[in-house]
Amino acid sequence: MTETTRRQALLISATLLAGTAFGLTPALAQTFPARPITMVVPFAAGGSTDVVARIIAQKMSEGLGQQVIVENVAGAGGSTGAARVAKAEPDGYTILMGTVATHALNPLMLKRKPYDAVTDFTPISLLVVVPNVLVVHPSLPAKTVPELIALLKADPSKYNYASSGVGTPLHLSGELFKTMAKVNMQHIAYRGAGPALNDVVAGQVPIMFDNLPSSSEFIRAGTLRGIAVTTKERAPSFPDMPTIAEGGLSGYETYTWNALFAPPKTPKEIVDRLNAEALKAVKDPAVQERLKTFSATVVGSTPEALGEHVKAEIAKWTPVVKEAGVQID
């Protein structure tokens, strides 16, 4: 066989293989899923993302006819688990329960980028939004957002605020507040919301931005004062608590959200099937009741809407991260 003939044969073989592969995609999509699906949660078990994942995974399992197994892959603020899904086979059998951390904050703050939040994932659906909340120790003489802003402006070097750690959505909620209100507070970073809450309840730090579910029992008990929620709308679990935007910072909005993503180049037929089952899950009355217990607001979006949401979140947080000067190795 001459060199020219050999090249022609290789080209024909490659063309046939490519055609076969493309031809198999619809067939594979039609039989999907044929085995269990792994839903990667990029944080430790027990947190709000893990809870949402397990509720959704259980319901999706019923509709898909295959078990959706939750696997916790913690590390690097969620980036370890997210990177694993970004590099997985695009067959629908490995999906990610992503968050604002994995798809907006980490990509902006990490010096080494393990993935591109936009191009390295296929969006499936934005599932829920969980409010954050601005709380203070009851001894602080401020009961509203305007009163707190006035207090901070009157003595710019006096007050500190706590968060669950550097670079977390809660830390950046505080930085966004500072920027928009034109006030100063010293950030006190803790290793988790639990230790931070303990010090705020004890009066060691007067102010904190927290996930609403974590602070709820303290607000109801009166050991913390809920000033305002950080979402655009009031939280159903605390209908009398105003939003920060209502308090005078028009346009202020932060929250924790959970969304499903697949690896890049996952076939549309498979994405559509996963999206349909995710939407069925979040619309189920029993699922909604469970999600309401920790103030989660159900969204249930199209893949396209989630893709636009990620881009919007990156655009929103870019100036905040830059202003805060947060960089993580």
Side-chain angles (χ1 to χ4, degrees):
M1 182 182 290
T2 66
E3 180 63 21
T4 301
T5 306
R6 190 178 71 83
R7 288 179 179 176
Q8 288 175 338
L10 287 172
L11 180 60
I12 292 169
S13 297
T15 303
L16 288 171
L17 284 171
T20 302
F22 283 117
L24 281 174
T25 299
L28 288 172
Q30 287 173 9
T31 60
F32 176 85
R35 64 177 190 270
I37 296 168
T38 297
M39 182 186 290
V40 173
V41 171
F43 304 102
S48 62
T49 297
D50 181 64
V51 173
V52 170
R54 292 179 189 279
I55 293 171
I56 300 300
Q58 181 181 0
K59 199 65 188 177
M60 286 182 68
S61 298
E62 296 174 12
L64 289 165
Q66 292 285 349
Q67 188 175 6
V68 180
I69 301 167
V70 173
E71 182 179 353
N72 298 91
V73 184
S79 291
T80 301
R84 173 177 161 179
V85 175
K87 297 170 185 174
E89 289 294 320
D91 54 13
Y93 289 101
T94 304
I95 58 178
L96 173 73
M97 183 62 79
T99 70
V100 64
T102 61
H103 278 73
L105 303 183
N106 289 347
L108 293 172
M109 294 184 298
L110 291 171
K111 291 180 181 178
R112 298 175 185 175
K113 314 293 184 186
Y115 54 81
D116 186 295
V118 175
T119 62
D120 287 347
F121 297 89
T122 300
I124 298 173
S125 180
L126 176 62
L127 302 174
V128 299
V129 169
V130 179
N132 299 327
V133 64
L134 167 59
V135 294
V136 300
H137 188 268
S139 64
L140 195 75
K143 295 182 179 180
T144 65
V145 169
E147 288 178 2
L148 179 61
I149 291 172
L151 195 68
L152 295 172
K153 286 185 174 180
D155 199 339
S157 61
K158 182 176 181 180
Y159 297 100
N160 303 326
Y161 81 95
S163 86
S164 54
V166 174
T168 62
L170 304 176
H171 170 205
L172 294 178
S173 291
E175 294 303 310
L176 182 61
F177 183 90
K178 286 166 56 178
T179 299
M180 292 184 68
K182 296 180 174 58
V183 295
N184 185 54
M185 296 182 287
Q186 181 65 37
H187 176 228
I188 308 296
Y190 288 80
R191 291 187 175 182
L197 276 170
N198 287 340
D199 273 9
V200 178
V201 170
Q204 300 298 316
V205 183
I207 304 163
M208 181 176 177
F209 288 83
D210 189 28
N211 294 132
L212 181 55
S214 303
S215 287
S216 294
E217 61 179 287
F218 299 103
I219 296 171
R220 291 191 174 102
T223 51
L224 287 178
R225 178 185 299 135
I227 297 290
V229 293
T230 65
T231 40
K232 186 183 296 184
E233 305 292 339
R234 295 190 181 195
S237 53
F238 287 91
D240 295 331
M241 192 186 301
T243 67
I244 288 179
E246 286 179 286
L249 297 187
S250 179
Y252 183 100
E253 183 184 13
T254 75
Y255 42 73
T256 298
W257 47 263
N258 295 116
L260 287 178
F261 297 87
K265 299 181 180 179
T266 299
K268 183 178 184 301
E269 295 86 354
I270 290 175
V271 172
D272 287 346
R273 179 73 196 281
L274 291 168
N275 174 267
E277 294 302 332
L279 294 184
K280 282 168 59 179
V282 295
K283 289 177 181 177
D284 181 83
V287 169
Q288 292 193 354
E289 280 302 312
R290 293 182 67 187
L291 292 172
K292 281 180 184 177
T293 60
F294 54 98
S295 303
T297 299
V298 171
V299 180
S301 78
T302 63
E304 294 77 16
L306 173 56
E308 292 304 312
H309 174 78
V310 169
K311 292 175 185 177
E313 287 288 273
I314 292 171
K316 179 178 79 175
W317 286 111
T318 296
V320 181
V321 171
K322 185 176 180 180
E323 178 73 21
V326 182
Q327 283 285 289
I328 301 173
D329 292 326

